[in-house]
Amino acid sequence: MANEIGRKASELKQRGDQLGAETMHNPWTERLARLGYLAKGVVYAVIGVLALQVAIGSGGKTTDTHGALATLAQGAWGKALLAVVAVGLVGYVLWRVVQAWMDPDGKGTNAKGLVVRAGYLISAGIYTALAVAAFQLVLGTGGGGAHGDQSAQSWTARLMEKPFGQALVAVVGLVIAGMGGWQIYKAWKEKFRKKLRLDELRPQQAEWAVRISKLGILARGLIFVLMGVFLVQAALTANPQRARGLDGALESLASQPYGAVLLALTAAGLVAYAVYMAVEARYRRFLGA
């Protein structure tokens, strides 16, 4: 009986591995993933450019990813561009699921690897919501609901109503700040290099790609740290209004001494992150290649 169960389990595993291999080597998986990185880059480029305009006093606004989608929807070709971005975001979600399920990057099944793969699933969930909002804006059926600070404060308030709610908010804040810290460390140590086929670029081009990518990841990491800190403050003061989204984090930089300079540097960093996404879309190593 035990041998039969073992044999069935082995057959199921082999079928799963075969299905995984077929999916991982499907060219459409890679194409959608590359489009996904590019779409994510477009969103961050919009956020960075709008914030840079605020910093130099030429209009603009501080916004988050949902606000960036609403900005893209404007103009004669806005909805067409947004439709492409929406499809790209679906591709990004698909790739995150593939990363979590099939582990093409070899993160493994130890504690660290499982945490990273769980993070991929969380990312897939976040970008699923963003893709849905993009399609709603394209179709004119919504997508303009609460986001940014409003969204952060709303779910923080709901979470605080639960048992041990303040502690949960603090944990979420520490996790987000930790994610930001990891991004800063990854940028500083240039760990992203091994994901890229930099050998396909000329040496000077590769060096510039690394520098810009490093700046972009550092800037995004800083924003995550700030958002995490605001959540911890909200938990410690039992005040959900202290929570901040991406737009609020940018506004907090602008309100500091030399705020225009800080905001300009961070905004330039977010544009650099968009460039990094474009580099990853073109030169990323996929599926263990």
Side-chain angles (χ1 to χ4, degrees), residues 83-101:
V84 175
V85 170
V87 173
L89 291 173
V90 171
Y92 188 74
V93 169
L94 172 64
W95 173 240
R96 282 308 203 197
V97 172
V98 169
Q99 285 180 297
W101 177 31

Side-chain angles (χ1 to χ4, degrees), residues 83-248:
V84 175
V85 170
V87 173
L89 291 173
V90 171
Y92 188 74
V93 169
L94 172 64
W95 173 240
R96 282 308 203 197
V97 172
V98 169
Q99 285 180 297
W101 177 31
M102 301 174 192
D103 193 23
D105 294 329
K107 299 300 181 182
T109 55
N110 57 20
K112 180 181 177 182
L114 290 175
V115 167
V116 172
R117 292 167 70 179
Y120 292 150
L121 284 179
I122 294 172
S123 177
I126 292 171
Y127 282 93
T128 296
L130 193 63
V132 169
F135 279 115
Q136 288 176 332
L137 285 168
V138 170
L139 298 173
T141 59
H147 52 78
D149 284 357
Q150 291 181 340
S151 178
Q153 292 163 8
S154 177
W155 70 256
T156 300
R158 290 198 300 270
L159 194 56
M160 282 188 178
E161 293 173 357
K162 308 295 183 184
F164 307 105
Q166 285 180 245
L168 289 173
V169 171
V171 169
V172 172
L174 289 173
V175 169
I176 292 175
M179 290 169 61
W182 169 248
Q183 290 180 69
I184 291 171
Y185 172 77
K186 181 174 73 171
W188 190 256
K189 293 294 186 178
E190 299 182 359
K191 288 183 172 290
F192 57 89
R193 273 181 174 266
K194 62 183 179 182
K195 294 182 180 180
L196 305 174
R197 294 181 176 276
L198 295 174
D199 56 318
E200 295 182 10
L201 293 167
R202 292 196 294 269
Q204 188 174 13
Q205 290 177 327
E207 196 56 40
W208 272 107
V210 168
R211 289 174 184 173
I212 294 172
S213 299
K214 188 172 183 176
L215 173 62
I217 300 171
L218 281 170
R220 187 167 181 260
L222 171 63
I223 293 296
F224 271 61
V225 170
L226 285 175
M227 291 192 295
V229 168
F230 281 125
L231 277 174
V232 172
Q233 289 178 344
L236 293 176
T237 60
N239 181 7
Q241 299 302 311
R242 298 290 295 273
R244 294 287 183 272
L246 195 158
D247 53 341

Side-chain angles (χ1 to χ4, degrees), residues 31-104:
R31 289 169 188 165
L32 283 172
R34 292 190 187 281
L35 180 60
Y37 281 116
L38 199 57
K40 184 179 176 183
V42 169
V43 172
Y44 272 93
V46 172
I47 295 171
V49 169
L50 290 175
L52 192 58
Q53 288 177 332
V54 173
I56 63 178
S58 64
K61 60 182 178 179
T62 54
T63 190
D64 68 343
T65 52
H66 286 78
L69 294 180
T71 300
L72 282 173
Q74 300 171 4
W77 294 94
K79 287 196 174 181
L81 173 60
L82 186 58
V84 175
V85 170
V87 173
L89 291 173
V90 171
Y92 188 74
V93 169
L94 172 64
W95 173 240
R96 282 308 203 197
V97 172
V98 169
Q99 285 180 297
W101 177 31
M102 301 174 192
D103 193 23

